[in-house]
Amino acid sequence: MTIRLQYDCSNVDWDCVSSILESVDMAHFEGKVHKIAFENSCVVLFVYDDDELIGFGRAISDYAYQAAIYDVAVSQAYQGKGLGRIIVSSILKSIPQCNFILYASPGKEGFYETLNFKRMKTGMALFRDAEKMQIKGFTE
């Protein structure tokens, strides 16, 4: 395994991004939608094994004091090897002056707790498809 980290959106296979998200049961769209989302993020990180995209994550921020992490995903074959930790830690180091929020996929909260994230008591969400997000376990 030869891991390579890439901190920009050049030469990314956006359909592969979509496929990885789908394979780990996360929200996914057509590749071109993910391209827009990542290109409009302040921090991006793509993880490759040689030339194979195997993971990624991104953050949006005001660069002053707030940031949100999105789309942290690692291909199933590479999970459990510390790559998710590398992705999140790299994002945190990129804008260290910020507070970070995120919402974890149900069942993945423990992973973020190992990175010192705490559960929020006042988190609120307004989803376009509220019923779907409730069924998936994101809302009450």
Side-chain angles (χ1 to χ4, degrees), residues 29-63:
F29 306 93
E30 292 181 33
K32 64 184 178 181
V33 174
H34 292 295
K35 180 179 190 295
I36 292 167
F38 275 81
E39 287 180 342
N40 284 297
S41 299
C42 68
V43 179
V44 299
L45 176 59
F46 299 91
V47 180
Y48 290 86
D49 182 0
D50 291 320
D51 290 330
E52 178 186 359
L53 180 62
I54 59 172
F56 44 80
R58 66 186 183 95
I60 58 174
S61 177
D62 57 20
Y63 289 103

Side-chain angles (χ1 to χ4, degrees), residues 85 108-119:
R85 180 176 296 278
K108 298 294 185 182
E109 300 90 347
F111 166 72
Y112 291 102
E113 289 173 340
T114 68
L115 296 169
N116 295 319
F117 282 81
K118 306 294 183 214
R119 294 175 189 256

